[in-house]
Amino acid sequence: MNREFYTFYGLLFIGLFVSFASCTSTKDVVSVPQNPINYYDLNNKQVSEAEFKKLINYAYNIDVYRYFDTVTEAYIVIRHEEGKLTPEQLKAFKASIEQSGNIKISFDKPLRIVYYTELSERGECLTNERNSNYTKEVATEFSDYETLYIANSTYKFDQNKYDVIIDQDDVIEKLFFRQKHACSNILMIHADGNYGSCMADGCEYYEKK
């Protein structure tokens, strides 16, 4: 894939630092149910807490927590995915986003989509992220991309305050983010259907020429 596109596996040190400091994990939780936690590895095999923590490497995977009435489940999820949509998938994706956002996508520039799925335990993702210096600095690095901010259909936010498209059909979740992470999911997609997706903070860095 074109080096300009975005090399997911070439994350820079600063990206790892931001990721390690920012990813939603137990240390970030402000107020969540104090239930016993069951830990699962990449194969959904239950492991001990110590084994689980040894398997976490924020360059490649993240810890995702699911909160239930009587138990919390912790999973390890691969952060990065690269692939290519079929022409039919690309057409359906484009049409769905255009309808949801009442916009036209020309693909004169590749798309960079910042995608939100649910509230973070640390608070409102839009408020925390859109106003940060980190977010503003990253945006300047991707001036050759068209950036869209999109949320899935169940995400709650003040629509009068933020220019965020609601993905009415949840097409992004269905195609690219089958596992949910609250904030900073990134999708980069080109006119030919080549794409890269990444979950959680620290995804923005790439190899420069």
Side-chain angles (χ1 to χ4, degrees), residues 3-205:
R3 285 169 64 88
E4 291 182 356
F5 176 49
Y6 180 160
T7 304
F8 288 104
Y9 299 98
L11 294 177
L12 302 181
F13 173 79
I14 187 170
L16 298 181
F17 177 80
V18 173
S19 173
F20 184 82
S22 304
C23 282
T24 303
S25 60
T26 48
K27 68 180 183 302
D28 298 316
V29 172
V30 175
S31 178
V32 296
Q34 298 300 307
N35 295 327
I37 302 176
N38 293 335
Y39 297 91
Y40 299 89
D41 65 14
L42 282 167
N43 298 313
N44 288 327
K45 176 185 175 182
Q46 190 165 353
V47 295
S48 69
E49 179 180 4
E51 290 174 307
F52 182 85
K53 290 182 177 180
K54 286 181 181 179
L55 292 171
I56 294 295
N57 180 340
Y58 285 112
Y60 305 105
N61 57 48
I62 57 171
D63 44 344
V64 173
Y65 291 78
R66 299 284 176 257
Y67 302 99
F68 302 98
D69 291 339
T70 59
V71 67
T72 295
E73 295 181 345
Y75 296 90
I76 298 175
V77 177
I78 296 295
R79 296 185 70 184
H80 315 285
E81 183 177 307
E82 293 185 355
K84 184 173 183 178
L85 298 182
T86 66
E88 293 76 17
Q89 287 175 321
L90 183 63
K91 182 179 179 180
F93 164 80
K94 179 175 177 290
S96 180
I97 297 303
E98 286 180 335
Q99 183 174 357
S100 290
N102 192 25
I103 60 173
K104 292 297 292 183
I105 296 174
S106 66
F107 273 119
D108 291 338
K109 293 182 177 182
L111 292 183
R112 169 180 171 263
I113 294 174
V114 183
Y115 182 61
Y116 304 97
T117 66
E118 58 191 358
L119 293 177
S120 167
E121 295 85 356
R122 291 177 291 149
E124 168 55 62
C125 300
L126 291 170
T127 300
N128 292 341
E129 293 184 358
R130 295 290 291 277
N131 297 328
S132 72
N133 289 331
Y134 165 72
T135 299
K136 294 172 184 176
E137 290 170 4
V138 164
T140 64
E141 294 284 348
F142 289 91
S143 59
D144 53 342
Y145 284 75
E146 179 182 359
T147 296
L148 299 177
Y149 295 88
I150 301 179
N152 75 349
S153 60
T154 60
Y155 191 85
K156 305 299 182 185
F157 66 96
D158 185 347
Q159 297 179 36
N160 296 317
K161 189 175 180 181
Y162 297 106
D163 57 334
V164 175
I165 295 170
I166 300 174
D167 185 0
Q168 302 290 352
D169 299 325
D170 289 330
V171 65
I172 294 177
E173 184 174 313
K174 292 171 184 174
L175 286 174
F176 308 106
F177 295 108
R178 290 169 291 280
Q179 292 281 356
K180 288 187 177 182
H181 188 275
C183 302
S184 289
N185 301 289
I186 305 296
L187 172 65
M188 315 286 276
I189 184 164
H190 282 231
D192 61 1
N194 275 309
Y195 72 86
S197 63
C198 185
M199 298 173 65
D201 303 332
C203 292
E204 305 281 8
Y205 292 92

